[in-house]
Amino acid sequence: MMDYLELGGRKLRSRLFIGTGKYNNDKLIPDIAARSGAEVITVALRRVNLSNPEDNILLQIPKEVQLLPNTSGARNAEEAVRIAHLAEAAGCGKWIKIEIIPDNKYLLPDNQETVRATEILAKEGFVVLPYMCPDLVMGKRMAEAGAAAVMPLAAPIGSNGGLQTKEMIRLMIEEIALPIIVDAGIGRPSDACMAMEMGAAACLLNTAIASSPDPLLMAEAFGLAVKAGREAYLAGLGPVGQAEASSPLTGFLRGED
Amino acid sequence: MAFYDELQQQKEWVKAEHRSVDRALIEYILHKRKLTLADFWALISQEAEPYLELIAGKAHELSKRFHGQSVLLYAPIYLSNYCVNKCIYCSFNHSNKLLRKKLTVEEVEEEAKALAATGIRHVIILTGEAPNRAGLAYLKECINVLKKYFSSITLEVYPMVTEDYREMADLGADGLTIYQETYDEKLYDEIHLAGPKKNYRFRLDAPERACLAGFHSVNIGALLGLAPWREEALYTAFHLQYLQDHYPATMVSVSFPRLRPHVGSYDPAFPLSDKNLVQLLLAFRVFLPQAGITMSTRERADFRDHLIPLGVTKMSAGSMTTVGGYAKPASDSGQFDISDDRSVDEVKAAIIKAGYQPIMQNWCAF
């Protein structure tokens, strides 16, 4: 049976979401999407230049891929909501990744403002994917506010730090009945694989591919890693630890049977 | 504590700092996750000059990871060169015999159309300091026109109070650029002979007022050549770090304007070599990886091209520093002589040749 991620009315076969920033040529994006197998691509609305086709990044997004505009640049809920409206007016659809970042040093998101923006936009019918700092309480609030998924960061954007927030993400996967999509800070395919093995619904990453000396090959590697991690999760991972002795504690009952 | 007071403390520290700089220290610094101001001071020291290639490697890696392989292009629009100040280093000095001009709103629209036709989407608008002629009301009119043609408007005008900055930001200006010129208070007084610009502290605190007013981005720098560059660099780095720490919601960036030939007879007392400028750029990139670095057409074309992989995030292109220079190219003097007079398309080609992507838009009004 095919394993799909159901999100916003779509059935996604690939659980790798990719970004579009930091490339030395936006024309690479269609090939990156193809090699990675990604079916969801996020674009900062601030990059969308409708006045110049040569500079319009939207033209590089393959038509069959789900566009996920993000509110990069927003410092609070009001700004994020305005950007979402602009994205919709620009023909980008109703999916929106909320990025509210009042911290330009580490690019960490504001969870509180993200909850507010989630509530407003979800009521307006947007498919809301909020980017957040892993926090079970805030994650639940985002779910209650109407988020379609919750996207906790693995490590600060651009850090390639890996799953630095692993345990917090694990709690969210166990306790929140929504897809948990690990976003930002994933540096290696093995990080993405580990996130999927834990039960993450998907991974979103950009820097690790864009800054690789061979972005196309790295995109393929990430696609494979996410698939491998997901399949391992579905297959059921074995327990970690020493093999148990046969019946050290209850062996005395054997004679009774 | 006010920034001015913290800056005084920093000046005392510089006098007392005597850390010996060698290759081992440079390597140690480059491996650190977070650098201190003392580390920055070491990176721009004379003893660090033999290790520029080492520092460049780190700067390139950080730049690629945090900013990607693209450079945003922008251009200046000079709205007015009327100025009441007498700054000895500037063509707009009130005492200079210069054809004075202020664009009408209609002329601003012509300029905007001409510049927008080159593909530019980010502009910086400049005036001299003449509030009676080109003050708040005039700037508001200009912003309303420019918003129709550009996705990002940065102001580089005389320092304002917070309330006036807030009005500019609310109207749609998203960025502010203001150069302290020099952080040496005594020298500042000597080179600003007359006019409101003599007020050192008012200018010093302007970037902070801009952050308070809600500008999305604030760009600072010192006019290099006026004073010994290493000290100026340190105080600029301290200022940038201060703004980033106190106003993390603001995107901060730095420029390195080097004194260029201009109307007037002032020669820079402490000219900066190309090597010095490269060292400065590398140190800033490594010290504050997330901060933007802007390079204008004051610098030569070939020199600018070499700087692209070292951490430059924003470059001007196709610039005119005369008032009304795009719609009606003029022969009169601009604020400074341009060294890189390539067109926007030529600069884009150079960026692509360097293996980077020229970006025309990385902001939208919201």
Side-chain angles (χ1 to χ4, degrees), chain A residues 56-80:
Chain A
N56 184 1
I57 194 172
L58 287 185
L59 296 176
Q60 306 305 330
I61 311 298
K63 297 226 174 337
E64 65 277 12
V65 166
Q66 175 65 48
L67 178 62
L68 177 62
N70 70 58
T71 66
S72 164
R75 298 169 297 187
N76 53 49
E78 286 72 30
E79 290 183 352

Side-chain angles (χ1 to χ4, degrees), chain B residues 48-180:
Chain B
E49 282 181 15
Y51 310 114
L52 290 196
E53 189 61 32
L54 204 57
I55 305 170
K58 181 73 178 185
H60 175 69
E61 188 267 319
L62 286 170
S63 192
K64 215 172 147 185
R65 195 146 48 86
F66 289 112
H67 300 278
Q69 293 174 263
S70 59
V71 179
L72 177 67
L73 294 186
Y74 75 98
I77 294 183
Y78 281 78
L79 300 175
S80 161
N81 62 7
Y82 283 98
C83 194
V84 300
N85 293 313
K86 293 184 183 178
C87 313
I88 65 176
Y89 53 81
C90 180
S91 294
F92 293 178
N93 182 338
H94 184 78
S95 302
N96 285 344
K97 286 192 175 9
L98 188 73
L99 180 63
R100 301 287 173 174
K101 195 173 154 56
K102 169 189 144 185
L103 296 181
T104 63
V105 173
E106 292 71 31
E107 286 170 330
V108 170
E109 185 135 23
E110 281 175 33
E111 277 295 89
K113 277 185 196 159
L115 183 56
T118 67
I120 290 287
R121 298 282 293 160
H122 285 238
V123 287
I124 181 167
I125 58 177
L126 299 100
T127 65
E129 183 157 7
N132 287 344
R133 286 184 186 265
L136 206 62
Y138 172 71
L139 287 170
K140 283 183 185 177
E141 283 185 303
C142 293
I143 290 172
N144 277 331
V145 167
L146 293 167
K147 275 193 311 195
K148 295 188 291 184
Y149 296 92
F150 303 105
S151 60
S152 163
I153 299 170
T154 292
L155 300 180
E156 187 178 342
V157 299
Y158 53 93
M160 297 181 180
V161 297
T162 311
E163 294 70 33
D164 290 350
Y165 276 148
R166 197 167 282 124
E167 281 193 55
M168 302 279 98
D170 288 347
L171 197 56
D174 54 275
L176 184 92
T177 285
I178 187 158
Y179 301 141
Q180 183 56 24

Side-chain angles (χ1 to χ4, degrees), chain A residues 11-12 23-24 26 28 73 114-115 124 128 136 140 142 151 157 176 183 186 199 212 215 223 247 253:
Chain A
K11 282 185 171 179
L12 302 167
Y23 288 106
N24 69 351
D26 287 343
L28 275 174
T114 300
V115 170
E124 292 178 7
V128 181
L136 180 58
K140 283 183 174 177
M142 285 170 204
M151 302 176 74
I157 292 172
I176 297 177
D183 177 14
I186 294 175
S212 164
S247 301
L253 294 168

Side-chain angles (χ1 to χ4, degrees), chain A residues 21-27 44-52 54-55 72-75 79-80 82-83 86 101-107 157-160 207 210-213, chain B residues 33-34 64-70 119 121-122 151 211 214-217 241 244-245 247-252 288 290-291 348 355-366:
Chain A
K22 301 181 180 175
Y23 288 106
N24 69 351
N25 190 341
D26 287 343
K27 292 190 164 78
L45 184 76
R46 60 201 252 177
R47 282 288 327 275
V48 174
N49 181 358
L50 296 172
S51 69
N52 181 355
E54 270 186 37
D55 192 49
S72 164
R75 298 169 297 187
E79 290 183 352
R82 284 205 289 272
I83 296 175
L86 286 171
I101 296 178
D103 158 46
N104 283 289
K105 212 166 162 179
Y106 302 105
L107 303 179
I157 292 172
S159 69
N160 285 343
T207 303
S211 65
S212 164
Chain B
R33 209 174 71 90
K34 189 167 148 59
K64 215 172 147 185
R65 195 146 48 86
F66 289 112
H67 300 278
Q69 293 174 263
S70 59
R121 298 282 293 160
H122 285 238
S151 60
C211 293
F215 278 102
H216 284 267
S217 63
Q241 183 185 51
Q244 194 181 62
D245 286 347
Y247 305 98
T250 308
M251 293 180 284
V252 297
L288 293 173
Q290 294 284 12
K348 283 167 80 172
Y356 279 62
Q357 174 170 237
I359 286 182
M360 307 312 289
Q361 178 171 320
N362 196 18
W363 195 255
C364 62
F366 56 83

